[in-house]
């Protein structure tokens, strides 16, 4: 049987050797069956032929068998098994790459999901406000020490009393000016003032003199009292 030049040319279009990635006895077998191919008609076969010819002194010592080369001894209409086998090898490599890509994407998705879960579970800082409260007595005879003790006796979650001072307002009357820090979601200032109003033996009224949010997304108006003005 003669060598199938067309099948050989097609095979060598994407390969350097008849089989594998180094010269072997399969290359020697096919080389010995032909003369130098015409470069204009079979450029890949001509390139392969010149390359295998450079190994002439080593032909007998090359590894492998001639089996893959014998597959080219058939009619032009029948595909060469060796070529088909090589195609299958290429497909296998492509499949490996695809599996690697899928694994990479899976790991990436798992890391993103873990990051989002950690971020969602991270406790958020409570929004707080610093308030200046003014508490006014009935007259100049009101026990201001008892008044302040009544104010500070109010305790609840999210409420912290701070510094205080007495501010003269005229006619010998002084009002209590006291600072407090409240967590906005836990403390209602309206409810707090209602509790203060229950100490009516000492407290005539209370006003929010100033308020400053410690949360950047919140803003409160300023209140001033004109009770004694």
């Amino acid at each position: 049987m003669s060598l199938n030049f067309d099948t050989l040319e097609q095979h060598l279009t994407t390969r350097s050797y008849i089989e594998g990635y180094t010269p072997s006895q399969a290359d020697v077998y096919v080389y010995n069956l032909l003369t130098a191919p015409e470069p204009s008609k079979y450029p890949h076969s001509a390139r392969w032929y010149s390359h295998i010819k450079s190994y002439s002194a080593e032909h007998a010592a090359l590894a492998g068998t001639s089996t893959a080369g014998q597959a080219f001894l058939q009619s032009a209409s029948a595909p060469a098994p060796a070529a088909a086998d090589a195609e299958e090898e290429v497909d296998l490599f492509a499949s490996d790459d695809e599996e690697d890509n899928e694994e990479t994407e899976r790991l990436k998705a798992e890391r993103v999901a873990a990051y989002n879960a950690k971020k969602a579970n991270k406790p958020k800082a409570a929004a707080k406000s610093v308030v200046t409260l003014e508490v006014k007595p009935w007259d100049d005879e009101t026990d201001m020490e008892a008044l302040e003790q009544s104010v500070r006796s109010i305790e609840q979650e999210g409420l912290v009393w701070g510094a205080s001072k007495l501010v003269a307002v005229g006619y010998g009357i002084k009002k209590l000016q006291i600072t407090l820090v409240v967590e906005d979601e836990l403390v209602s200032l309206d409810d707090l003032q209602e509790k203060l109003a229950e100490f009516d033996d000492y407290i005539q009224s209370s006003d929010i003199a100033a308020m400053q949010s410690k949360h950047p997304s919140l803003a409160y108006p300023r209140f001033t009292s004109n009770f004694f003005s």
Side-chain angles (χ1 to χ4, degrees):
M1 297 179 67
S2 61
L3 186 70
N4 187 334
F5 273 95
D6 291 332
T7 301
L8 178 63
E9 176 68 15
Q10 182 180 4
H11 178 76
L12 294 173
T13 298
T14 57
R15 297 165 184 81
S16 298
Y17 304 100
I18 299 300
E19 181 180 44
Y21 302 97
T22 57
S24 68
Q25 289 301 318
D27 294 283
V28 174
Y29 180 83
V30 176
Y31 174 86
N32 290 330
L33 290 176
L34 49 81
T35 55
E38 297 179 21
S40 60
K41 188 175 182 180
Y42 302 110
H44 300 290
S45 298
R47 179 261 308 159
W48 168 83
Y49 184 87
S50 298
H51 183 58
I52 299 303
K53 184 178 180 180
S54 67
Y55 285 90
S56 296
E58 305 172 40
H59 279 185
L62 292 177
T65 65
S66 62
T67 303
Q70 295 173 10
F72 290 90
L73 295 177
Q74 55 185 343
S75 63
S77 60
D85 291 343
E87 289 293 341
E88 289 179 3
E89 290 180 4
V90 172
D91 289 339
L92 287 174
F93 283 121
S95 176
D96 288 343
D97 292 339
E98 183 177 350
E99 290 178 1
D100 289 342
N101 291 335
E102 290 178 356
E103 179 67 11
T104 300
E105 291 300 322
R106 184 184 67 79
L107 292 174
K108 185 187 299 183
E110 289 180 355
R111 289 178 184 142
V112 171
Y115 171 78
N116 290 335
K118 182 178 180 181
K119 186 176 180 182
N121 293 329
K122 184 178 181 180
K124 298 180 180 179
K128 297 181 180 180
S129 296
V130 179
V131 181
T132 301
L133 181 69
E134 291 184 345
V135 184
K136 305 170 186 66
W138 287 105
D139 52 39
D140 60 343
E141 296 182 358
T142 301
D143 186 342
M144 296 304 293
E145 184 177 347
L147 182 148
E148 182 173 351
Q149 290 177 354
S150 299
V151 171
R152 291 184 181 275
S153 69
I154 300 175
E155 297 180 351
Q156 69 178 91
E157 185 179 1
L159 169 63
V160 179
W161 295 105
S164 65
K165 64 180 179 178
L166 295 179
V167 180
V169 294
Y171 306 102
I173 301 174
K174 295 182 180 181
K175 62 183 176 181
L176 174 68
Q177 190 174 84
I178 187 169
T179 302
L180 57 147
V181 178
V182 297
E183 289 190 26
D184 299 336
E185 293 186 358
L186 300 177
V187 179
S188 166
L189 293 178
D190 290 337
D191 291 344
L192 178 61
Q193 287 183 279
E194 289 181 4
K195 292 178 181 179
L196 289 173
E198 295 176 4
F199 300 109
D200 53 4
D201 288 341
Y202 307 106
I203 298 174
Q204 193 248 33
S205 64
S206 65
D207 291 297
I208 305 299
M211 177 185 293
Q212 181 180 3
S213 173
K214 296 179 70 174
H215 192 290
S217 64
L218 299 177
Y220 295 92
R222 288 180 175 269
F223 297 89
T224 57
S225 170
N226 59 2
F227 179 77
F228 290 103
S229 59

